Amino acid sequence: MFARLELPFAAPRSSVARDLAVAAVVGALAYAVSCVVIVPGDVAKGFGIQFQALSTDPPALLGQFPQRVLGPLLAWLCGMGGDGFVSFCRVYAVFLLATVFFFCRRRGAADVDAGLVTLAIALTAAVQLYKDHWVGYPDALGYALFFWSLLAAGRGAPLFWGLYLLNLLNHELAAFLLPWLWVVRRQAGAPWRGDALGAALAVGLYGAWYLYVKAAAPGQVFNASYFADHPLFPGGSVVVWLMALVHLVTTFGPVLAVLAWHQHRREHGRERLHLWLVAGGVFVIFCIAFDWARHSNLVVLPLVLASLRFLAAGHRALYAGLVALGCGLMLWIPPWAPNAWPTDAIANTSVLVETGMIVIKDSDYFPGTLDSALCRWLPRVWPMLMAVLAVGALIWGLGWALARRDGARAG
């Protein structure tokens, strides 16, 4: 049904132990390299303040979203809650990078190729954005858990759906990736009845936790009722979808050409659906949530899969060049710096705020209707928006051209 990737844990136990050890070293080194580009901040920002508050005493269900307990709970259990939480979040980044390396090795990549993919992730938004903009967010932990779910795709249902439950406890956005994970299990040939039970148990247990928190948490704000009362769809969602595209182009850059290449190589078959299933989940998330600079970073999941195929096709030097070019461009025009152009330039011209209103230059507030988005918001950001989307089209076109060239050589 799907172009099958190598199943996890196919190597001897000693090889797994060796890869885990090397992964820890490579993950730490890749994070250190990323810190040369962006020095990590030491003060929580935005929702990071809420996560930090929760980490002081997770059983007390503090803050605006205590249902997202996993990251703060781990910090608290390690004695790094409260003042130590921001530093502990750097562990999540290293854990993500080590996981990416280990994942690539388990899927058959050579050390150098696994290291290249790890470096690519270290130098792009899934790691770098949390150094300045979103300090104190445990999002990297969720990304890492998704990779561990991929590694566990050929294992038993309790392990796979147990990892999914952990991811739900980290952030409920995992619910929107359930269709993708279901396809992952079908690709691995797992019995669907066991998966139906496992998925139901994971969702049911999380639902029970969510209802308990909603009833007991004194300061919870971000729950289902909040999002129902502050709808974004349709106009607000249009704004967020377009801002997410701007974010992807500016914070992942040329390496996105690898995704395009993967999509245009027919031999990869239905494996190409991974991109669209993950993107579809993010697309739906943005019908209710406005965090375009966070949730769109889930593109790292299909990006790593595509990178493995790209490198296996013999494009090591080209991949390294795309990563280096992207890093150079981001040093030239830092997309994560305060008031960064063009992302913050567009956002400062018009920002979708959590009340479901579109704000223009702090003077014009109007509902996030489709008419408002298309007729009042879009004309004001059109020049900058089109410039960024044109760059994105060029990146995609590069991937398409590489795929065409490879196809011609194979033919």
Side-chain angles (χ1 to χ4, degrees):
M1 180 179 179
F2 291 92
R4 196 177 184 89
L5 290 170
E6 181 182 337
L7 286 176
F9 303 108
R13 286 178 181 268
S14 59
S15 180
V16 170
R18 176 263 184 195
D19 285 345
L20 284 171
V22 176
V25 174
V26 173
L29 289 175
Y31 185 72
V33 171
S34 77
C35 291
V36 174
V37 179
I38 299 178
V39 177
D42 55 5
V43 178
K45 296 182 179 180
F47 289 160
I49 298 171
Q50 299 293 326
F51 283 114
Q52 185 175 38
L54 181 58
S55 74
T56 62
D57 188 6
L61 303 178
L62 303 173
Q64 296 179 334
F65 37 72
Q67 71 273 17
R68 302 170 188 172
V69 71
L70 182 62
L73 177 63
L74 291 175
W76 180 67
L77 291 173
C78 293
M80 294 189 68
D83 292 340
F85 181 70
V86 170
S87 296
F88 195 77
C89 285
R90 298 171 194 168
V91 176
Y92 298 141
V94 174
F95 178 56
L96 168 62
L97 295 173
T99 296
V100 168
F101 181 90
F102 183 73
F103 175 82
C104 293
R105 286 289 297 147
R106 293 294 88 204
R107 292 302 176 94
D111 281 337
V112 63
D113 291 335
L116 277 173
V117 178
T118 304
L119 187 61
I121 302 306
L123 294 174
T124 48
V127 170
Q128 297 290 53
L129 199 73
Y130 299 89
K131 304 276 194 64
D132 187 357
H133 274 66
W134 311 130
V135 179
Y137 289 62
D139 291 4
L141 175 60
Y143 306 149
L145 287 172
F146 280 124
F147 280 112
W148 282 101
S149 292
L150 285 172
L151 284 168
R155 311 286 281 186
L159 174 61
F160 185 86
W161 296 110
L163 287 167
Y164 181 61
L165 175 59
L166 289 177
N167 223 325
L168 285 169
L169 292 171
N170 190 62
H171 198 296
E172 59 269 25
L173 70 83
F176 296 89
L177 268 67
L178 180 57
W180 170 65
L181 289 171
W182 184 265
V183 168
V184 166
R185 288 289 278 178
R186 305 285 68 74
Q187 176 185 355
W192 72 266
R193 289 180 179 84
D195 283 337
L197 177 60
L201 282 173
V203 172
L205 288 171
Y206 175 75
W209 163 251
Y210 169 82
L211 291 174
Y212 167 73
V213 171
K214 187 176 182 181
Q220 187 192 45
V221 173
F222 293 102
N223 51 37
S225 299
Y226 172 88
F227 291 108
D229 293 339
H230 301 88
L232 300 184
F233 187 83
S237 295
V238 170
V239 175
V240 175
W241 293 330
L242 290 172
M243 289 302 302
L245 290 176
V246 171
H247 169 76
L248 290 173
V249 172
T250 56
T251 61
F252 284 88
V255 76
L256 292 177
V258 175
L259 278 175
W261 174 89
H262 186 251
Q263 289 298 306
H264 291 286
R265 296 298 295 153
R266 293 185 177 181
E267 69 269 24
H268 298 151
R270 294 188 180 181
E271 179 187 297
R272 295 175 294 179
L273 283 175
H274 287 289
L275 170 61
W276 303 111
L277 288 166
V278 172
V282 175
F283 184 88
V284 176
I285 289 171
F286 290 150
C287 290
I288 62 172
F290 56 89
D291 304 66
W292 67 76
R294 292 176 58 204
H295 305 325
S296 53
N297 295 332
L298 286 163
V299 75
V300 298
L301 301 170
L303 177 58
V304 169
L305 294 173
S307 296
L308 288 173
R309 294 296 191 188
F310 193 74
L311 289 164
H315 297 310
R316 181 182 294 167
L318 182 55
Y319 189 87
L322 290 172
V323 173
L325 176 60
C327 184
L329 290 172
M330 292 172 200
L331 285 170
W332 179 38
I333 307 176
W336 19 67
N339 300 315
W341 190 94
T343 308
D344 281 4
I346 296 175
N348 289 336
T349 300
S350 55
V351 182
L352 193 80
V353 296
E354 59 266 35
T355 56
M357 305 290 285
I358 300 173
V359 185
I360 293 185
K361 292 188 180 299
D362 299 323
S363 61
D364 190 359
Y365 290 71
F366 48 90
T369 62
L370 189 60
D371 178 70
S372 295
L374 297 180
C375 300
R376 302 178 67 179
W377 173 77
L378 194 57
R380 305 196 187 197
V381 301
W382 184 261
M384 285 185 291
L385 181 62
M386 288 300 100
V388 177
L389 295 183
V391 172
L394 286 174
I395 292 172
W396 191 271
L398 173 61
W400 170 82
L402 291 171
R404 292 269 295 180
R405 186 195 67 175
D406 287 356
R409 289 178 175 178

